[in-house]
Amino acid sequence: MTAKEILSLTAVQLGKKIKDGEVTSVEAVKAVLDQIKAMEPLLNSFVTIEEEKALEQAEEVQKRIEAGELTGPLAGVPVAVKDNICIDGMKTTCSSKILWDFVPTYTATAVENLKRSGAVILGKTNMDEFAMGSTTETSAYGATRNPWNPDHVPGGSSGGSCAAVAAAECFYALGSDTGGSIRQPASFCGVTGLKPTYGTISRYGLIAYGSSLDQIGPVAKDVTDCAAVLEVLASHDEKDSTSVERKDCDFTEALRDDVKGMRIGIPADYLGEGLDLEVREAVLKAARILEEKGAILETFDLGMVEYAIPAYYVIASAEASSNLSRFDGVKYGYRAKEYDGLHGMYKKSRSQGFGPEVKRRIMLGSFVLSSGYYDAYYLKALKTKALIKKAFDEAFSKYDVILGPASPSTAPKLGESLSDPLKMYLGDIYTISVNLAGLPGLTVPCGKDSKGLPIGVQFIGDCFKEKNIIRAGFAFEQNRSYEMPQMAADAMAGKEEK
Amino acid sequence: MSKQYETVIGLEVHVELATKTKIFCACSTEFGGAPNTHTCPVCTGMPGSLPVLNKQVVEYALAVGLAVNCQINQYCKFDRKNYFYPDNPQNYQISQLYLPICHDGHVEIDTPAGKKKIGIHEIHMEEDAGKLIHDEWEDCSLVDYNRSGVPLIEIVSEPDMRSGDEVIAYLEKLRLIIQYLGASDCKLQEGSMRADVNLSVREAGSSELGTRTEMKNLNSFKAIARAIEGERKRQIELIEEGKPVVQETRRWDDNKESSYAMRSKEDARDYRYFPDPDLPPVVISDEWIGNIKSRQPELRTEKMARYQEEFKLSEYDADIITGSKHMADIFEAVTAICGKAKEAANWLMVEAMRLLKEHDMDPEEMTFSAENLAKLIHLVDNGTINRTVGKEVFEKIFAENIDPEQYVEEKGLRVVNDEEELRRVIEGIVSANPQSVEDYHSGKEKAFGFLVGQTMRSMKGKADPGAVNRILKELLG
């Protein structure tokens, strides 16, 4: 197979070809490393690339596949991991200066699960610093650019993972989603991203941002890949007390092109003011395709939508202010060069080590937890969270799946969002409440705007009902073929000519 | 001092639980060990690590709470207490503020005025911090995280105590209950039990509380008593001089017998407590509580009653022996081996207590084995050695845990039962002490005792006292 042929495959397709002996894991890794070399100067999707380790792993995995020890659908397939997920011996920075040299001595359970299935890890992908942001511009290691148009952002915070998948720099990637950090950049980059029900994938080894909202999830070229990867990632983990024991993790079982009788609700509150008309059009078109396939569509009022953003920023920031207090220059990571005493060291190391968005959220979180403000902000936000969950519970008593946009617009230009953080926060409106309610959400590409930027449709399921959204997403994507950004295709074409 | 003052004291007692592993990870809680060897990503607060609650911690906390008559929060939660300090690897301590596991209990103490209830406001579970070592020579600080994550319970009393004596009685009571439950060894010196004293004074008869101070660094009951006395005096002096008592935390220096201010209320930290999102609420079922209750070991009062009933000990003896869990354990083990409860009690009550006092030791520090004391009792009982020699042997057992059988043989301490040899020695004593013989005949009983003593001394204590008495009487006519 040519490099271009290899790189055009989905993860599951590649896994099958490796198993069938049509291509080796080493060939796939080499192809993808070449693509990384071609794309990285333009995109900056990666913070760390482990070329040698990846080739070594590929050789080992290939042997085990040939020996019949590894038989899973993803054995030998190269993957990229978001830089907030710990891997033993591999630099893990959260795209922050404060962890510039941090090398964990342990591996996240999600990555252990991947390794057990024969995944080959290429390196760590860029992200908004500590997953705080919607553009991957807050990274201390430079912004990642959108492969569809490098003047635009890839979204965030898993912008590196989504851009890398879109640009064929890997076959799938791990992201993390606290308020939309998988689904929104997947939508901006024209790839598929899934955030499972809270507790489905172990958080052990995921560097926490908002612990009660964080979930790891897959980013891939299609729904089939996402389901297959999720099947590998989901596990009950004794090392994570919030991990849930599930018996229904055979997610690929739901890959059926059948939505007959599926009840799909479209929240009217998701289609109103602030939503880009082209996005609205594309999302409604996706809904109509499912209707044609036999789904029952209905528009309804979800409610509570306007409260999701303030509740989210209070809860996530409160948790973050505490979670990030361990980065103090004492044990690992960045320490200021000159300082006066212990408190001077804390202050200087943290002032110099954290970027402005992280500082903003630490200050916000510290404020809402302060005595005298706790009840008014933090407790009220928790109550709001409970009401949002209740609104979804009511909706899911009527619908199997909720359908809507993933983001009010397509990817903005670089630099547009950072100047107005409030506007950036409002961009999370369709994804955030899913985290507050602990629900699963899936974004699937559904078209492009007039600027040629991808648009994603989001499917939201009830808790533990990933199979419903996988089925809806799979049925929908049967109507379209995977589209690769021109830039990525050109890089491959260039190689063919040589 | 013209006015009468009343001292009002409440205690915060930290107790290190006797679990094998830490509260949120599987690392060993063993004391000592090279620095940072009992650690893992969790108890060193590495990014991405997560706490998992050790169930045994909940069981111990429940057992203590039930034993001190607490209500149980059957839905309890862990909260994060946020503050920056290098001994605290995450810069927050996982503790309980909003829903502590136990609340509203009490223990009863004995006071000169009779029994008194001391209220327990709450008991909560939390993790211990690491240890900072300041190297003055190198001008740097080092951290040892071996202790980080060792489970603690904090027992917060109501301000119900009025004197140092009441405080000591309360602490003794708590310590015994916890030791009997096996929840902790409660060693103040090693820090497995630590008490902070909250103290205020007010004019006698006043119903309003005065301004309180909190005193830390109290490593023994004696230090606690001294610190209370010192702080009481300091506050009364301030009041008498018309100066305000400042609400602050003070550190007691037991060598200087004075305290100094660590931080005042103005510098009080805002800990920004909030529920720890990494730990789901602990739901405690009725069944679980029932289970803990049914597994509750015999506590002191029950043990005292049983000793009187089963072993026919006096109330006084039973009280002293059960006054230390370790002493009671030895007593029961010795009795089980030799079947002589009264003898076992006597050795512990008289000889052991004397030696403890002499060496200024706690009963917990006795290290001899029950087997050796049982052997000693047997040796005395079957007449192999007499009681005087027995005391000497006991001292050896107490100090070095020697095997008494071996020791008696090696030192030749067996009672001499050779009638002729004994008669020869006594004849010698009688002829060497004519004055005493005369005194005896003139009715001075003391003289007889003197002659017995002389005989025993000459026999190096190995003679059978019964035989000495009989032969001596015979010779004196």
Side-chain angles (χ1 to χ4, degrees), chain A residues 86 102 106 203-207 211-212 238-242 318-319 321-323 325-328 330-332 342 346 350 366 369-371 374 378, chain B residues 41-42 44-53 79-80 82 84-86 88-92 98 143 145 270 272-275 277-280:
Chain A
C86 292
F102 178 64
Y106 44 94
R203 291 187 298 118
Y204 186 84
L206 168 67
I207 299 180
S211 314
S212 69
E238 285 180 0
K239 287 191 273 188
D240 175 2
S241 312
T242 60
E319 291 177 3
S321 72
S322 174
N323 285 331
S325 61
R326 72 189 66 199
F327 307 112
D328 58 5
V330 172
K331 303 168 291 286
Y332 46 78
L342 177 65
Y346 283 153
R350 287 168 66 81
S366 301
L369 290 177
S370 306
S371 70
Y374 180 85
Y378 185 72
Chain B
V42 176
T44 52
M46 297 303 265
S49 67
L50 293 170
V52 176
L53 178 61
D79 303 297
R80 290 188 188 173
N82 295 286
F84 278 82
Y85 205 63
N88 172 11
Q90 314 162 108
N91 287 323
Y92 59 80
Y98 296 109
V143 202
Y145 290 120
D270 182 349
R272 292 177 281 116
Y273 276 99
F274 77 108
D278 289 331
L279 290 159

Coordinates of all heavy atoms in Angstrom, one line a residue, chain A residues 86 102 106 203-207 211-212 238-242 318-319 321-323 325-328 330-332 342 346 350 366 369-371 374 378, chain B residues 41-42 44-53 79-80 82 84-86 88-92 98 143 145 270 272-275 277-280:
Chain A
C86 N -1.5 11.2 31.4 CA -0.1 10.8 31.8 C 0.3 9.5 31.1 O -0.5 8.5 31.1 CB 0.0 10.7 33.3 SG -0.2 12.3 34.2
F102 N 7.8 18.0 33.0 CA 7.2 16.9 33.8 C 7.1 15.6 33.1 O 6.5 15.5 32.0 CB 5.8 17.4 34.4 CG 5.2 16.3 35.2 CD1 5.8 15.9 36.4 CD2 4.0 15.7 34.8 CE1 5.2 14.9 37.1 CE2 3.4 14.6 35.5 CZ 4.0 14.3 36.7
Y106 N 3.9 7.1 35.9 CA 2.7 6.2 35.8 C 2.0 6.5 34.6 O 2.1 7.6 34.0 CB 1.9 6.4 37.1 CG 1.7 7.9 37.4 CD1 0.5 8.5 36.9 CD2 2.6 8.6 38.1 CE1 0.4 9.9 37.1 CE2 2.5 9.9 38.3 CZ 1.4 10.6 37.8 OH 1.2 11.9 38.0
R203 N -10.6 8.3 35.0 CA -9.9 9.5 35.0 C -8.5 9.4 35.6 O -7.7 10.4 35.7 CB -10.7 10.6 35.8 CG -11.9 11.1 35.1 CD -12.6 12.2 35.8 NE -12.9 11.9 37.2 CZ -12.4 12.5 38.3 NH1 -11.5 13.4 38.2 NH2 -12.8 12.1 39.5
Y204 N -8.1 8.2 36.1 CA -6.8 8.0 36.7 C -5.7 8.4 35.6 O -5.7 7.7 34.6 CB -6.6 6.6 37.2 CG -5.3 6.5 38.0 CD1 -5.2 6.9 39.3 CD2 -4.1 6.1 37.4 CE1 -4.0 6.8 40.0 CE2 -2.9 6.0 38.1 CZ -2.9 6.4 39.4 OH -1.7 6.3 40.1
G205 N -4.9 9.3 36.0 CA -3.8 9.7 35.0 C -4.2 10.9 34.1 O -3.4 11.4 33.4
L206 N -5.5 11.3 34.2 CA -5.9 12.5 33.5 C -5.7 13.7 34.4 O -6.3 13.7 35.5 CB -7.4 12.4 33.1 CG -8.0 13.7 32.6 CD1 -7.5 14.1 31.2 CD2 -9.5 13.6 32.5
I207 N -4.8 14.6 34.0 CA -4.6 15.7 34.9 C -5.8 16.6 35.0 O -6.3 17.1 34.0 CB -3.3 16.5 34.4 CG1 -2.1 15.6 34.4 CG2 -3.1 17.7 35.3 CD1 -0.8 16.2 34.0
S211 N -12.8 18.2 38.0 CA -12.9 16.8 38.3 C -14.3 16.2 38.1 O -14.4 15.1 37.7 CB -12.4 16.5 39.7 OG -11.2 17.1 39.9
S212 N -15.3 17.0 38.4 CA -16.7 16.4 38.4 C -17.2 16.4 37.0 O -18.3 16.0 36.7 CB -17.6 17.2 39.4 OG -17.8 18.5 38.9
E238 N -10.6 0.6 39.7 CA -10.5 0.8 41.2 C -9.7 2.0 41.6 O -9.9 2.4 42.8 CB -10.0 -0.5 41.9 CG -11.0 -1.6 41.9 CD -10.4 -2.9 42.5 OE1 -9.3 -2.9 43.0 OE2 -11.2 -3.9 42.6
K239 N -8.9 2.5 40.7 CA -8.1 3.6 41.1 C -8.8 5.0 40.9 O -8.3 6.0 41.2 CB -6.8 3.7 40.2 CG -5.8 2.6 40.6 CD -4.5 2.8 40.0 CE -4.4 2.1 38.6 NZ -3.1 2.0 38.0
D240 N -10.1 4.9 40.3 CA -10.9 6.1 40.2 C -12.2 5.8 40.9 O -13.0 5.0 40.4 CB -11.1 6.4 38.7 CG -12.0 7.6 38.4 OD1 -12.5 8.2 39.4 OD2 -12.3 7.9 37.3
S241 N -12.4 6.5 42.0 CA -13.7 6.3 42.8 C -14.9 6.7 42.1 O -16.0 6.3 42.4 CB -13.6 7.0 44.1 OG -12.3 6.8 44.7
T242 N -14.8 7.5 41.0 CA -16.0 8.0 40.3 C -16.2 7.1 39.0 O -17.1 7.4 38.3 CB -15.8 9.5 39.9 OG1 -14.7 9.6 39.0 CG2 -15.7 10.4 41.1
A318 N -14.0 26.6 40.3 CA -13.8 26.2 41.7 C -12.9 25.0 41.8 O -11.9 25.0 42.6 CB -15.1 26.0 42.4
E319 N -13.3 24.0 41.1 CA -12.5 22.7 41.2 C -11.1 22.9 40.7 O -10.1 22.5 41.2 CB -13.2 21.6 40.4 CG -14.5 21.2 41.1 CD -15.3 20.1 40.3 OE1 -14.9 19.7 39.2 OE2 -16.4 19.8 40.8
S321 N -9.3 25.7 40.7 CA -8.5 26.5 41.6 C -7.8 25.6 42.7 O -6.7 25.8 43.1 CB -9.3 27.5 42.3 OG -10.2 27.0 43.3
S322 N -8.5 24.5 43.1 CA -8.0 23.5 44.0 C -7.1 22.5 43.3 O -6.0 22.2 43.8 CB -9.2 22.9 44.7 OG -8.7 21.8 45.6
N323 N -7.6 22.0 42.2 CA -6.8 21.0 41.4 C -5.4 21.5 41.0 O -4.4 20.8 41.0 CB -7.5 20.6 40.2 CG -8.7 19.6 40.5 OD1 -8.7 18.9 41.5 ND2 -9.7 19.7 39.7
S325 N -3.7 23.8 42.5 CA -2.8 24.3 43.6 C -1.6 23.5 43.8 O -0.6 24.0 44.3 CB -3.6 24.5 44.9 OG -4.1 23.3 45.3
R326 N -1.6 22.2 43.3 CA -0.4 21.4 43.5 C 0.8 21.8 42.6 O 1.9 21.4 42.8 CB -0.7 19.9 43.2 CG -1.0 19.6 41.8 CD -1.5 18.2 41.6 NE -2.8 18.1 42.2 CZ -3.4 16.9 42.5 NH1 -2.8 15.8 42.4 NH2 -4.6 16.9 43.0
F327 N 0.5 22.7 41.6 CA 1.6 23.1 40.8 C 2.2 24.4 41.4 O 1.7 25.5 41.3 CB 1.1 23.4 39.4 CG 0.3 22.3 38.8 CD1 -1.0 22.3 38.6 CD2 1.0 21.1 38.5 CE1 -1.7 21.2 38.1 CE2 0.4 20.0 38.0 CZ -1.0 20.0 37.8
D328 N 3.2 24.1 42.3 CA 3.7 25.2 43.1 C 5.3 25.3 43.0 O 5.8 26.1 43.8 CB 3.3 24.9 44.6 CG 3.8 23.6 45.1 OD1 4.5 22.9 44.3 OD2 3.5 23.2 46.2
V330 N 7.4 23.2 44.0 CA 8.1 22.5 45.0 C 8.6 21.1 44.6 O 9.8 20.8 44.7 CB 7.2 22.3 46.3 CG1 7.9 21.4 47.3 CG2 6.9 23.6 46.9
K331 N 7.8 20.3 44.0 CA 8.1 18.9 43.7 C 8.5 18.6 42.3 O 9.3 17.7 42.0 CB 6.9 18.0 44.1 CG 6.5 18.2 45.5 CD 5.1 17.6 45.8 CE 4.0 18.2 45.1 NZ 3.5 19.5 45.7
Y332 N 8.0 19.3 41.3 CA 8.3 19.1 39.9 C 7.8 20.3 39.1 O 7.2 21.2 39.7 CB 7.5 17.8 39.4 CG 6.0 17.8 39.8 CD1 5.1 18.6 39.2 CD2 5.6 17.1 40.9 CE1 3.8 18.6 39.6 CE2 4.3 17.1 41.3 CZ 3.4 17.9 40.6 OH 2.1 17.9 41.0
L342 N 9.7 31.0 50.9 CA 8.7 30.0 50.4 C 7.5 30.7 49.7 O 7.2 30.3 48.5 CB 8.2 29.2 51.6 CG 7.1 28.2 51.3 CD1 7.6 27.1 50.4 CD2 6.5 27.5 52.5
Y346 N 6.4 30.4 45.7 CA 5.1 30.0 45.2 C 4.6 31.1 44.3 O 4.1 30.8 43.2 CB 4.1 30.0 46.4 CG 4.1 28.8 47.3 CD1 3.7 28.9 48.6 CD2 4.5 27.5 46.8 CE1 3.7 27.8 49.5 CE2 4.5 26.4 47.7 CZ 4.1 26.5 49.0 OH 4.1 25.5 49.8
R350 N 4.3 30.4 40.2 CA 2.9 30.3 39.7 C 2.6 31.5 38.7 O 1.9 31.3 37.7 CB 1.9 30.2 40.8 CG 1.9 28.8 41.4 CD 1.1 28.7 42.7 NE -0.3 28.9 42.6 CZ -1.2 27.9 42.2 NH1 -0.7 26.7 42.0 NH2 -2.4 28.2 42.2
S366 N -11.2 30.6 43.1 CA -10.8 30.9 44.5 C -11.9 31.8 45.1 O -12.3 31.7 46.2 CB -9.5 31.6 44.6 OG -8.5 30.7 44.0
L369 N -15.2 30.2 46.0 CA -15.1 29.3 47.2 C -14.8 30.0 48.5 O -14.9 29.4 49.6 CB -14.1 28.2 47.0 CG -14.3 27.2 45.9 CD1 -13.1 26.2 45.8 CD2 -15.6 26.3 46.3
S370 N -14.6 31.3 48.4 CA -14.2 32.1 49.6 C -15.3 32.2 50.6 O -16.5 32.2 50.2 CB -13.8 33.5 49.2 OG -12.8 33.5 48.2
S371 N -15.0 32.3 51.8 CA -16.0 32.3 52.8 C -16.8 33.6 52.6 O -16.3 34.7 52.3 CB -15.4 32.3 54.3 OG -14.8 33.4 54.5
Y374 N -19.3 31.4 49.1 CA -19.5 30.0 48.8 C -21.0 29.7 48.5 O -21.4 29.1 47.5 CB -19.0 29.2 50.0 CG -19.2 27.7 49.8 CD1 -18.2 27.0 49.2 CD2 -20.3 27.0 50.4 CE1 -18.3 25.6 49.1 CE2 -20.4 25.7 50.3 CZ -19.4 24.9 49.6 OH -19.5 23.6 49.5
Y378 N -21.0 29.1 44.7 CA -20.7 27.7 44.5 C -21.9 26.8 44.7 O -22.3 26.0 43.9 CB -19.5 27.2 45.3 CG -19.1 25.8 45.1 CD1 -18.5 25.5 43.9 CD2 -19.5 24.8 46.0 CE1 -18.1 24.2 43.6 CE2 -19.1 23.5 45.7 CZ -18.4 23.2 44.5 OH -18.1 21.9 44.2
Chain B
P41 N 2.2 7.8 43.6 CA 1.7 9.1 43.0 C 0.5 9.7 43.8 O 0.4 10.9 43.8 CB 1.2 8.6 41.6 CG 2.1 7.4 41.3 CD 2.3 6.8 42.6
V42 N -0.3 8.9 44.5 CA -1.4 9.4 45.2 C -1.0 10.3 46.4 O -1.4 11.4 46.5 CB -2.4 8.3 45.6 CG1 -3.6 8.9 46.4 CG2 -3.0 7.6 44.3
T44 N 1.8 11.5 47.1 CA 2.7 12.6 46.8 C 2.0 13.7 46.0 O 2.6 14.6 45.5 CB 4.0 12.1 46.2 OG1 3.6 11.4 45.0 CG2 4.8 11.3 47.1
G45 N 0.7 13.5 45.7 CA -0.1 14.5 45.0 C 0.3 14.7 43.6 O 0.3 15.8 43.1
M46 N 0.8 13.6 42.9 CA 1.2 13.8 41.5 C 0.0 14.1 40.6 O -1.1 13.6 40.9 CB 1.9 12.5 41.0 CG 3.2 12.2 41.8 SD 4.4 13.5 41.7 CE 5.4 13.0 40.4
P47 N 0.2 14.9 39.6 CA -0.9 15.3 38.7 C -1.6 14.0 38.1 O -0.9 13.1 37.6 CB -0.3 16.2 37.7 CG 1.1 16.1 37.8 CD 1.4 15.5 39.2
G48 N -2.9 14.0 38.1 CA -3.6 12.9 37.5 C -3.9 11.7 38.4 O -4.7 10.8 38.1
S49 N -3.3 11.8 39.6 CA -3.6 10.7 40.6 C -4.9 11.0 41.3 O -5.3 12.1 41.3 CB -2.4 10.6 41.6 OG -2.4 11.8 42.4
L50 N -5.5 9.9 41.8 CA -6.8 10.1 42.4 C -6.9 9.3 43.7 O -6.3 8.2 43.8 CB -7.9 9.5 41.5 CG -8.2 10.3 40.2 CD1 -9.1 9.5 39.2 CD2 -8.8 11.7 40.4
P51 N -7.6 9.8 44.7 CA -7.8 9.1 46.0 C -8.8 8.1 45.9 O -9.9 8.2 45.3 CB -8.2 10.3 46.9 CG -9.0 11.2 46.1 CD -8.3 11.1 44.7
V52 N -8.6 6.9 46.6 CA -9.6 5.9 46.8 C -9.7 5.6 48.3 O -8.7 5.3 48.9 CB -9.2 4.6 46.0 CG1 -10.2 3.5 46.2 CG2 -9.1 4.9 44.5
L53 N -10.8 5.7 48.8 CA -11.0 5.6 50.3 C -10.8 4.2 50.8 O -11.3 3.2 50.3 CB -12.4 6.1 50.7 CG -12.8 6.0 52.2 CD1 -11.8 6.9 53.0 CD2 -14.2 6.5 52.4
D79 N -14.3 16.8 52.2 CA -14.2 18.1 51.6 C -12.7 18.4 51.5 O -11.9 17.8 52.2 CB -14.8 19.1 52.6 CG -16.3 18.8 52.8 OD1 -17.0 18.9 51.8 OD2 -16.6 18.5 53.9
R80 N -12.4 19.3 50.6 CA -11.0 19.7 50.5 C -10.7 21.0 51.3 O -11.5 21.9 51.2 CB -10.6 20.0 49.0 CG -10.6 18.8 48.2 CD -10.1 19.2 46.8 NE -10.2 18.1 45.9 CZ -9.9 18.3 44.6 NH1 -9.5 19.5 44.1 NH2 -10.0 17.3 43.7
N82 N -8.2 23.9 51.5 CA -7.1 24.4 50.7 C -6.1 25.3 51.4 O -6.6 26.3 52.0 CB -7.7 25.2 49.5 CG -8.6 24.3 48.6 OD1 -8.0 23.5 47.8 ND2 -9.9 24.4 48.7
F84 N -1.6 26.4 51.2 CA -0.3 26.1 50.6 C 0.7 25.8 51.7 O 0.9 26.7 52.5 CB 0.1 27.3 49.7 CG -0.4 27.3 48.3 CD1 -1.7 27.8 48.1 CD2 0.3 26.8 47.3 CE1 -2.3 27.8 46.8 CE2 -0.3 26.8 46.0 CZ -1.5 27.3 45.8
Y85 N 1.3 24.7 51.7 CA 2.4 24.4 52.5 C 3.1 23.1 51.9 O 2.4 22.2 51.5 CB 2.0 24.2 54.0 CG 3.1 24.5 54.9 CD1 3.7 25.7 55.0 CD2 3.7 23.5 55.7 CE1 4.8 26.0 55.8 CE2 4.8 23.7 56.5 CZ 5.3 25.0 56.6 OH 6.4 25.3 57.4
P86 N 4.4 23.1 51.9 CA 5.1 22.0 51.2 C 4.9 20.6 51.8 O 5.1 19.6 51.2 CB 6.5 22.4 51.3 CG 6.6 23.8 51.6 CD 5.4 24.1 52.4
N88 N 2.2 19.3 52.4 CA 0.8 19.0 51.9 C 0.9 18.9 50.4 O 0.9 20.0 49.7 CB -0.1 20.1 52.4 CG -1.5 20.1 51.9 OD1 -1.9 19.1 51.3 ND2 -2.2 21.1 52.2
P89 N 1.2 17.7 49.8 CA 1.7 17.7 48.5 C 0.7 18.2 47.4 O 1.1 18.7 46.4 CB 1.9 16.2 48.2 CG 1.2 15.5 49.3 CD 1.1 16.4 50.5
Q90 N -0.6 18.2 47.7 CA -1.6 18.7 46.8 C -1.9 20.2 47.0 O -2.7 20.8 46.3 CB -2.9 17.9 46.8 CG -2.6 16.4 46.9 CD -3.8 15.6 47.4 OE1 -4.5 15.0 46.6 NE2 -4.1 15.7 48.7
N91 N -1.4 20.7 48.2 CA -1.8 22.0 48.7 C -3.3 22.0 49.0 O -3.9 23.1 49.1 CB -1.4 23.1 47.7 CG 0.1 23.3 47.8 OD1 0.7 23.2 48.9 ND2 0.8 23.6 46.7
Y92 N -3.9 20.9 49.2 CA -5.1 20.8 49.9 C -5.1 19.5 50.7 O -4.5 18.5 50.3 CB -6.4 20.9 49.0 CG -6.5 19.8 48.0 CD1 -7.0 18.6 48.2 CD2 -6.1 20.1 46.6 CE1 -7.1 17.6 47.3 CE2 -6.2 19.1 45.7 CZ -6.7 17.9 46.0 OH -6.9 17.0 45.0
Y98 N -18.4 19.7 56.0 CA -19.9 19.9 56.0 C -20.6 18.7 56.6 O -21.6 18.8 57.2 CB -20.3 20.2 54.6 CG -19.7 21.5 54.1 CD1 -18.7 21.5 53.1 CD2 -20.2 22.7 54.6 CE1 -18.2 22.8 52.7 CE2 -19.7 23.9 54.2 CZ -18.7 23.9 53.2 OH -18.2 25.1 52.8
V143 N 11.4 17.4 52.3 CA 10.1 16.8 52.7 C 10.1 15.3 52.6 O 10.6 14.8 51.7 CB 9.0 17.3 51.7 CG1 7.6 17.3 52.4 CG2 9.2 18.7 51.2
Y145 N 7.4 12.3 52.6 CA 5.9 12.1 52.4 C 5.5 10.7 53.0 O 4.4 10.3 52.7 CB 5.5 12.3 51.0 CG 5.6 13.7 50.5 CD1 6.4 14.1 49.4 CD2 4.8 14.7 51.1 CE1 6.4 15.4 49.0 CE2 4.8 16.0 50.7 CZ 5.6 16.3 49.6 OH 5.7 17.7 49.2
D270 N -8.4 31.5 54.9 CA -9.7 31.1 54.4 C -9.4 29.8 53.6 O -8.7 29.8 52.6 CB -10.2 32.2 53.4 CG -11.6 31.8 52.9 OD1 -12.0 30.6 53.0 OD2 -12.2 32.7 52.2
R272 N -11.3 27.8 52.0 CA -12.1 27.5 50.8 C -12.5 26.1 50.7 O -12.3 25.4 49.7 CB -11.3 28.0 49.6 CG -11.1 29.5 49.5 CD -10.3 29.9 48.3 NE -8.9 29.7 48.5 CZ -8.1 28.9 47.8 NH1 -8.6 28.2 46.8 NH2 -6.8 28.8 48.1
Y273 N -13.0 25.6 51.8 CA -13.5 24.2 51.8 C -14.6 24.0 50.7 O -15.4 24.8 50.5 CB -14.2 23.9 53.2 CG -13.4 23.5 54.3 CD1 -13.0 24.5 55.3 CD2 -13.0 22.2 54.5 CE1 -12.2 24.1 56.3 CE2 -12.2 21.9 55.6 CZ -11.8 22.8 56.5 OH -11.1 22.5 57.6
F274 N -14.5 22.9 50.1 CA -15.6 22.4 49.2 C -15.6 20.9 49.0 O -14.5 20.3 49.3 CB -15.6 23.2 47.8 CG -14.5 22.7 46.9 CD1 -14.9 22.0 45.7 CD2 -13.2 22.9 47.1 CE1 -14.0 21.5 44.9 CE2 -12.2 22.4 46.2 CZ -12.6 21.7 45.1
P275 N -16.7 20.3 48.7 CA -16.7 18.8 48.6 C -15.7 18.3 47.6 O -15.7 18.8 46.5 CB -18.2 18.6 48.1 CG -19.0 19.8 48.4 CD -18.0 20.9 48.4
P277 N -14.5 16.5 44.7 CA -15.2 15.8 43.6 C -14.6 14.5 43.2 O -15.3 13.8 42.4 CB -15.1 16.8 42.4 CG -13.9 17.7 42.8 CD -13.7 17.7 44.2
D278 N -13.5 14.1 43.7 CA -12.9 12.8 43.4 C -13.4 11.7 44.2 O -13.1 10.6 44.0 CB -11.3 12.9 43.6 CG -10.7 13.8 42.5 OD1 -11.2 13.9 41.4 OD2 -9.6 14.4 42.8
L279 N -14.1 12.1 45.3 CA -14.6 11.0 46.3 C -16.1 11.1 46.4 O -16.7 12.1 46.8 CB -14.0 11.2 47.6 CG -12.5 11.0 47.7 CD1 -11.8 11.6 48.9 CD2 -12.2 9.4 47.8
P280 N -16.8 10.0 45.9 CA -18.2 10.0 46.1 C -18.6 10.0 47.6 O -17.8 9.6 48.4 CB -18.7 8.7 45.4 CG -17.4 8.0 45.0 CD -16.2 8.8 45.3

